[in-house]
Amino acid sequence: MTRYYRLADIIGERIEQGLYQCGQRLPSVRSLSQEHEVSISTVQQAYRVLEQRQLVEPRPKSGYFVSQKHDLPALPAMCRHAQRPVEISQWDLVLNQLQGRAQGVTQHMGMGIPDVTVPSLKPLTKYLSRIALNTDLSSLNYDEISGSLSLREQISRLLVDSGSHISPDGIMVTTGCHEALSIAIHALCQPGDIIAVDSPSFHGVTQILKGFGMKALEIPTDPLTGISLDALSLALEQWPIKAIQLTPNCNNPLGYIMPDAHKQALLTLAQRYDTPIIEDDVYADLAYHYPRPRTIMSFDEDGRVLLCSSFSKTLAPGLRVGWIAPGRYMDQVIHMKYIGTGATATQPQLAVAEFIRRGDYHKHLRAVRTRYQLNRDIMTDWICAYFPKASRVSRPQGGFVLWIEMPERFDSLRLNRQLEGSGIKVAVGPVFSASGKYRNCIRISYARPLTAEVEAAIKHIGKLMQQQMDEFTA
Amino acid sequence: MTRYYRLADIIGERIEQGLYQCGQRLPSVRSLSQEHEVSISTVQQAYRVLEQRQLVEPRPKSGYFVSQKHDLPALPAMCRHAQRPVEISQWDLVLNQLQGRAQGVTQHMGMGIPDVTVPSLKPLTKYLSRIALNTDLSSLNYDEISGSLSLREQISRLLVDSGSHISPDGIMVTTGCHEALSIAIHALCQPGDIIAVDSPSFHGVTQILKGFGMKALEIPTDPLTGISLDALSLALEQWPIKAIQLTPNCNNPLGYIMPDAHKQALLTLAQRYDTPIIEDDVYADLAYHYPRPRTIMSFDEDGRVLLCSSFSKTLAPGLRVGWIAPGRYMDQVIHMKYIGTGATATQPQLAVAEFIRRGDYHKHLRAVRTRYQLNRDIMTDWICAYFPKASRVSRPQGGFVLWIEMPERFDSLRLNRQLEGSGIKVAVGPVFSASGKYRNCIRISYARPLTAEVEAAIKHIGKLMQQQMDEFTA
Ligand SMILES: Cc1ncc(COP(=O)(O)O)c(C=O)c1O
Ligand SMILES: Cc1ncc(COP(=O)(O)O)c(C=O)c1O
């Protein structure tokens, strides 16, 4: 057992024993480090483990507190999949989820869209406007194929927070994280190839696999620690897996942050089988902790990790500014960029670069992190209050989506049909699986301000859920 | 022979006979229509044929004149390819062409970039800036997967000029024409498939084929009338061709406009072999004629044409706003869009929509068409004056690039090496071929203002070319 797990157990025990009271401030990182003669970072990791166990909670600028929540709902179960590669289905469902607007949906509760109305985003609109009017018209021209140097420089700086030192030359800008993932997969794999993915996972990736005629091997995932390393190890042993694709930080849809020890173990596995890793980091800057979690890439020494991200969740998705740091695969990745879109729109890149350069980005992150963490607690409370008792709810460590698991017979597709006409819609579980699993699950976003209208919608959804539940017992 | 070809021959003969003098105004369309009892459009088409034969020239608002140019350079020859499918090479050369900036190139004479400094583009920057500041922040969010309705409505209106009536639902917005082409090819074809392409042609397409593991069958092309229908017919007979990809209007790099009769004949061929057509229309709004030429799609009745275009050549490539009208293939195309980039950047779309809606687009087209046509004549004169006598030069009917063919032994790659250090670079012929043909050819753009500096560059290029020529005879 690692040092920080041991420390976590000691503190955890003290909490259980009532030594620290509910809501009470816990010893500072520094004092614990002295008391137990371990490094600061060991204590920090121990606190993260405890947070994942829902025993402690960080509060901005004041340290850790014993969790207030004693009535937290149960976590979703780790599902046990049949481990074999599947052809991907579910496109119709994904398309249906994307086309909410056309269906008269006014409250799409399941969309992965950040709150773009927060005041800290204002400078971005100013920069966008200013760049458009610039008399140097070069921003109207094709950008370099790898993206604006000014943006890549800023991304290079941001990457330090995730534990990596990558020069601007090691970064390529993309049309959203979506293109980054698509390029990574296309650069590494051929039609017919098998790719291991964490499950449940972002539907973009499974649909990309479908589009390229590849197969997904869905690896079971723990709602607190992420992809099962045992299952992954078995899968690597058994199948010729061409790449591992996963979202270890602030996972969509589960919200967990993989412990660093797991990240390292996963990397060791990938080394053993010489498999590249496609790491999706798109929500990671929205981790409620500061500093943000490390990437798997930050442990990588041989360039096997292709890190994919964007500013879609942290700033605004309509900009379509994403990027990839593809390690040793830059040549292939540049070619795939050229054959996909040629270049990325110039002006949004310049505006994002300016936003980061001037320090607005970190200010904005601080604002939204706090906001989303608060919203998580409110939304969790509402779900406890209005959803059937049997609901199991994720405990996100970052981002802004909740994953709710209902008993096996519950049908999320039926729920959406029942919601038709109300203007409300949820994201249904099967879009998060290559093979249509999770029909009994839904994803709910808590990014937007949690108004009375949202509460009413949650209440309404809960009522319809309860109706389904009642039918089972009737 | 069609009616308008017959009429073209009659008028052509009169010119040859000296009945109409060099520089003289020719009879109006209306009077010829009455004299020969044919429709207005037949006369217009006859005049276009004559223009392609370089016997007549249109002048804005004053009709047709006998061509002033008696010393026009010879046209490039129609090359006879060995007709077999090839794996695509040339990526290194294409990348080299794209990376001019990094190489210290200040005068890239070969880039397909429009003049973004023209005053008629000004309103676009104003709209971009205004949209960025809009208090309705929805433009920061994901757009519909098929693109902004307001833009699709405007594109639908523009399509009428090319002879098509397509509703906004039949259009999908893309990240440049590049993504439109990539999506079209990916939606229709599998790795290993054979696609027929006009040759020479845009390197984007051949590299897309390479990226998807497909093969190109390069069809010989006439520098005035486009893809050889005989050669295409033979190819369709001989090989299992999955799609025909071509740029019939204002072709890149040759500049021709395929006669309508050829477009119809090509469609008939495609029908016979039940082959879809991927039609690249990206330069067509820059035809020097008004009204602009018809698309192949405008003759299509069974939805087999996928029309790809963008505002990269007409407005500004850095916006990355393109589109596809995919006929009966919309479902597949939407899926490929989702797996490539998810959605297109929102704000540039809204700005382009506004630019068209307010009439700025047509005003702008009038301005740049005239400008580019003038530039074509100036650049052609310079080339006649400064390039070796053996140079053969295309006679573009639209767009802003010239194709120059030198004797067989001339080496364009060597020319670029000799230009190193001068800050000047040309586009070399082999990037316009799937298999590295056209090493003796270069492409020169005349979009930017033709300053003394440009003239000096042309002179310098000509001198180096002559050196190569002298070596052959020495
Ligand atoms: C995990 C994950 N990765 C990638 C994406 C796509 O991001 P972008 O909008 O930047 O293409 C999403 C968006 O939903 C996501 O949830
Ligand atoms: C014939 C042709 N098609 C498509 C493109 C790509 O256009 P876009 O910049 O809109 O992706 C080009 C650009 O060079 C081109 O010449």
Side-chain angles (χ1 to χ4, degrees):
Chain A
M1 195 163 64
T2 57
R3 209 176 277 249
Y4 64 88
Y5 264 112
R6 210 155 32 224
L7 179 59
D9 283 346
I10 295 170
I11 308 170
E13 220 166 288
R14 292 185 187 171
I15 295 173
E16 303 286 333
Q17 292 167 345
L19 213 60
Y20 304 119
Q21 296 285 312
C22 186
Q24 189 185 330
R25 188 163 188 273
L26 286 157
S28 73
V29 170
R30 187 171 305 273
S31 68
L32 279 177
S33 143
Q34 283 164 355
E35 180 188 347
H36 296 273
E37 292 179 46
V38 294
S39 71
I40 296 280
S41 94
T42 302
V43 182
Q44 280 169 334
Q45 285 181 308
Y47 267 139
R48 284 195 196 174
V49 171
L50 289 168
E51 200 193 345
Q52 282 176 337
R53 293 185 190 157
Q54 304 171 38
L55 286 171
V56 313
E57 285 207 321
R59 298 219 187 124
K61 302 207 188 83
S62 10
Y64 283 88
F65 289 75
V66 180
S67 184
Q68 293 270 17
K69 305 268 165 190
H70 278 301
D71 54 350
L72 278 181
L75 285 164
M78 172 148 139
C79 58
R80 313 245 154 246
H81 303 300
Q83 281 204 31
R84 46 174 200 83
V86 292
E87 309 261 353
I88 290 98
S89 50
Q90 313 307 319
W91 167 236
D92 291 349
L93 268 189
V94 172
L95 187 62
N96 182 284
Q97 137 129 350
L98 297 172
Q99 290 179 330
R101 238 177 286 181
Q103 299 154 357
V105 172
T106 47
Q107 281 210 77
H108 202 321
M109 311 292 296
M111 291 296 267
I113 298 179
D115 184 358
V116 295
T117 65
V118 290
S120 52
L121 206 56
K122 264 273 165 65
L124 184 67
T125 60
K126 212 174 61 192
Y127 304 147
L128 277 165
S129 160
R130 199 183 290 161
I131 286 160
L133 289 178
N134 203 325
T135 49
D136 165 18
L137 298 170
S138 64
S139 73
L140 290 175
N141 263 330
Y142 286 115
D143 201 347
E144 311 252 346
I145 183 158
S146 52
S148 298
L149 179 60
S150 62
L151 177 60
R152 288 182 287 122
E153 279 169 354
Q154 296 307 320
I155 293 169
S156 166
R157 278 182 50 205
L158 293 183
L159 275 167
V160 175
D161 290 345
S162 67
S164 287
H165 293 270
I166 294 170
S167 80
D169 284 350
I171 296 162
M172 189 186 79
V173 178
T174 58
T175 307
C177 186
H178 218 111
E179 192 185 29
L181 292 163
S182 182
I183 283 176
I185 289 166
H186 195 181
L188 297 175
C189 312
Q190 303 291 325
D193 281 355
I194 301 168
I195 288 86
V197 296
D198 47 1
S199 176
S201 69
F202 170 50
H203 37 82
V205 168
T206 38
Q207 291 305 317
I208 289 166
L209 298 182
K210 181 182 173 68
F212 290 124
M214 299 162 187
K215 290 188 193 125
L217 185 50
E218 300 182 87
I219 310 291
T221 295
D222 180 279
L224 287 183
T225 59
I227 195 165
S228 157
L229 295 173
D230 290 343
L232 180 63
S233 171
L234 219 78
L236 285 163
E237 186 61 44
Q238 211 174 347
W239 301 97
I241 290 173
K242 280 296 166 57
I244 303 164
Q245 196 286 319
L246 79 172
T247 308
N249 289 324
C250 311
N251 175 272
N252 172 16
L254 278 166
Y256 59 79
I257 294 174
M258 233 173 125
D260 280 354
H262 284 225
K263 288 173 185 158
Q264 281 172 296
L266 186 137
L267 191 63
T268 307
L269 259 181
Q271 278 163 344
R272 184 173 327 139
Y273 291 90
D274 196 16
T275 312
I277 297 170
I278 302 171
E279 179 175 14
D280 186 339
D281 198 54
V282 78
Y283 279 99
D285 276 353
L286 297 177
Y288 305 144
H289 287 290
Y290 189 82
R292 55 147 284 167
R294 288 183 64 166
T295 53
I296 298 175
M297 170 174 264
S298 72
F299 297 103
D300 180 28
E301 283 171 0
D302 50 0
R304 74 174 62 248
V305 178
L306 301 91
L307 190 68
C308 301
S309 193
S310 79
F311 299 96
S312 295
K313 309 302 174 183
T314 47
L315 302 181
L319 303 169
R320 308 309 296 126
V321 177
W323 51 272
I324 181 168
R328 65 188 185 211
Y329 303 99
M330 184 58 102
D331 288 351
Q332 295 95 305
V333 158
I334 291 241
H335 191 228
M336 292 306 146
K337 169 68 179 171
Y338 182 64
I339 76 147
T341 56
T344 308
T346 315
Q347 296 191 357
Q349 291 185 64
L350 300 178
V352 171
E354 190 70 359
F355 192 78
I356 305 170
R357 198 179 63 75
R358 288 175 174 253
D360 298 309
Y361 183 70
H362 277 109
K363 238 180 273 171
H364 173 69
L365 282 187
R366 277 196 295 278
V368 289
R369 269 197 308 253
T370 312
R371 183 181 280 239
Y372 293 148
Q373 187 175 11
L374 266 172
N375 280 5
R376 175 197 62 182
D377 293 340
I378 296 169
M379 187 59 97
T380 306
D381 283 348
W382 286 353
I383 285 172
C384 288
Y386 302 127
F387 279 21
K389 284 288 157 274
S391 314
R392 292 162 157 266
V393 186
S394 62
R395 186 82 190 146
Q397 304 302 307
F400 45 71
V401 295
L402 278 177
W403 180 253
I404 295 125
E405 185 187 287
M406 301 294 295
E408 207 45 59
R409 286 169 61 197
F410 174 80
D411 183 356
S412 55
L413 273 66
R414 194 173 149 215
L415 173 65
N416 261 350
R417 281 197 304 275
Q418 290 172 311
L419 284 168
E420 266 170 33
S422 70
I424 303 167
K425 188 168 177 169
V426 301
V428 296
V431 303
F432 301 94
S433 159
S435 54
K437 298 184 182 74
Y438 312 118
R439 206 171 164 111
N440 58 325
C441 300
I442 63 173
R443 188 184 76 173
I444 298 263
S445 162
Y446 50 82
R448 287 184 313 163
L450 296 183
T451 57
E453 194 193 22
V454 177
E455 186 175 7
I458 294 292
K459 212 165 171 172
H460 184 59
I461 295 168
K463 211 179 63 195
L464 294 176
M465 284 174 142
Q466 190 58 54
Q467 275 176 22
Q468 276 201 40
M469 302 297 292
D470 292 344
E471 280 176 30
F472 302 157
T473 51
Chain B
M1 196 163 64
T2 57
R3 210 176 277 246
Y4 64 87
Y5 263 112
R6 211 152 36 219
L7 180 58
D9 284 345
I10 295 170
I11 308 170
E13 220 166 288
R14 290 183 189 173
I15 296 172
E16 303 285 333
Q17 293 166 344
L19 211 63
Y20 303 120
Q21 296 284 314
C22 185
Q24 188 186 331
R25 187 165 190 272
L26 286 157
S28 73
V29 169
R30 187 171 303 274
S31 69
L32 278 177
S33 144
Q34 283 165 353
E35 182 190 347
H36 296 273
E37 291 178 45
V38 293
S39 70
I40 295 282
S41 94
T42 301
V43 182
Q44 280 169 334
Q45 285 182 308
Y47 267 138
R48 286 194 194 173
V49 171
L50 289 168
E51 200 193 344
Q52 282 176 336
R53 293 182 190 160
Q54 302 171 40
L55 286 171
V56 311
E57 285 208 322
R59 300 218 186 122
K61 300 209 186 87
S62 11
Y64 283 88
F65 289 74
V66 180
S67 182
Q68 293 270 17
K69 305 264 166 191
H70 277 302
D71 54 351
L72 278 181
L75 285 163
M78 172 148 139
C79 59
R80 313 245 152 247
H81 304 299
Q83 281 205 27
R84 51 176 195 82
V86 293
E87 310 261 354
I88 290 98
S89 51
Q90 313 307 319
W91 167 237
D92 291 349
L93 268 189
V94 172
L95 187 62
N96 182 285
Q97 138 127 351
L98 297 173
Q99 290 178 331
R101 239 177 286 181
Q103 300 154 356
V105 172
T106 48
Q107 281 209 77
H108 203 322
M109 310 293 297
M111 291 295 269
I113 297 179
D115 183 358
V116 295
T117 66
V118 289
S120 52
L121 206 56
K122 266 272 165 63
L124 184 68
T125 59
K126 212 173 61 192
Y127 303 147
L128 276 165
S129 161
R130 199 183 292 161
I131 286 160
L133 289 178
N134 203 327
T135 49
D136 164 19
L137 297 170
S138 63
S139 74
L140 290 175
N141 262 330
Y142 286 116
D143 201 347
E144 312 251 346
I145 183 158
S146 52
S148 297
L149 181 59
S150 63
L151 177 60
R152 289 184 286 122
E153 281 169 352
Q154 296 308 319
I155 293 170
S156 166
R157 277 183 50 205
L158 293 183
L159 274 168
V160 175
D161 291 345
S162 68
S164 287
H165 294 270
I166 294 171
S167 79
D169 284 350
I171 297 161
M172 189 186 79
V173 178
T174 57
T175 307
C177 185
H178 219 110
E179 191 184 31
L181 292 163
S182 183
I183 282 176
I185 290 166
H186 195 180
L188 297 175
C189 312
Q190 303 290 326
D193 281 356
I194 302 168
I195 289 87
V197 295
D198 48 2
S199 176
S201 69
F202 170 50
H203 37 82
V205 169
T206 38
Q207 290 305 317
I208 289 166
L209 299 182
K210 182 182 175 67
F212 289 125
M214 299 163 186
K215 290 191 193 122
L217 185 51
E218 300 183 86
I219 309 291
T221 295
D222 180 281
L224 287 183
T225 58
I227 195 166
S228 157
L229 296 172
D230 290 343
L232 180 64
S233 170
L234 219 78
L236 285 163
E237 186 61 43
Q238 210 173 349
W239 301 98
I241 291 174
K242 280 293 167 58
I244 303 164
Q245 196 286 319
L246 78 172
T247 308
N249 289 325
C250 311
N251 175 272
N252 173 16
L254 278 167
Y256 59 78
I257 293 173
M258 234 174 125
D260 281 354
H262 284 225
K263 289 174 184 157
Q264 281 172 295
L266 186 138
L267 191 64
T268 306
L269 260 181
Q271 278 163 344
R272 186 173 326 141
Y273 291 90
D274 197 16
T275 312
I277 297 170
I278 302 172
E279 179 175 14
D280 186 338
D281 199 54
V282 79
Y283 279 99
D285 277 353
L286 297 176
Y288 305 145
H289 286 289
Y290 189 80
R292 58 147 282 167
R294 289 183 64 167
T295 53
I296 298 175
M297 170 173 264
S298 72
F299 297 103
D300 180 27
E301 283 172 0
D302 50 0
R304 74 173 61 248
V305 178
L306 300 91
L307 189 69
C308 300
S309 192
S310 80
F311 298 96
S312 295
K313 308 302 174 183
T314 47
L315 302 181
L319 303 169
R320 309 310 295 127
V321 178
W323 52 271
I324 182 169
R328 65 188 184 210
Y329 303 100
M330 183 58 101
D331 289 351
Q332 295 96 304
V333 157
I334 291 240
H335 191 230
M336 292 306 145
K337 169 69 180 171
Y338 182 64
I339 76 149
T341 56
T344 308
T346 315
Q347 296 190 356
Q349 291 185 62
L350 299 179
V352 171
E354 190 71 358
F355 193 78
I356 305 170
R357 199 179 61 75
R358 288 176 174 253
D360 298 309
Y361 183 70
H362 277 108
K363 237 181 273 172
H364 174 70
L365 282 187
R366 276 196 296 276
V368 289
R369 270 199 307 255
T370 311
R371 182 183 280 239
Y372 292 149
Q373 187 174 12
L374 265 171
N375 280 6
R376 174 198 64 182
D377 293 339
I378 296 168
M379 186 59 96
T380 306
D381 283 349
W382 286 352
I383 284 171
C384 289
Y386 302 126
F387 279 20
K389 283 291 155 275
S391 315
R392 290 161 160 268
V393 187
S394 63
R395 185 82 191 146
Q397 304 301 307
F400 45 71
V401 295
L402 278 177
W403 180 251
I404 295 126
E405 185 186 288
M406 301 294 295
E408 207 44 60
R409 288 169 59 195
F410 175 80
D411 183 356
S412 55
L413 273 67
R414 195 174 149 213
L415 172 66
N416 260 350
R417 281 198 303 275
Q418 291 173 312
L419 284 168
E420 265 169 34
S422 70
I424 304 167
K425 188 168 176 171
V426 301
V428 297
V431 302
F432 301 94
S433 160
S435 54
K437 299 185 182 76
Y438 313 118
R439 205 171 166 110
N440 59 325
C441 299
I442 63 172
R443 188 184 76 172
I444 299 264
S445 161
Y446 49 83
R448 288 185 312 163
L450 296 182
T451 58
E453 194 193 23
V454 177
E455 187 176 5
I458 293 292
K459 213 166 169 171
H460 185 59
I461 294 167
K463 211 179 64 195
L464 294 176
M465 283 174 143
Q466 189 58 53
Q467 275 176 21
Q468 274 203 41
M469 302 298 292
D470 292 346
E471 280 175 30
F472 302 157
T473 52

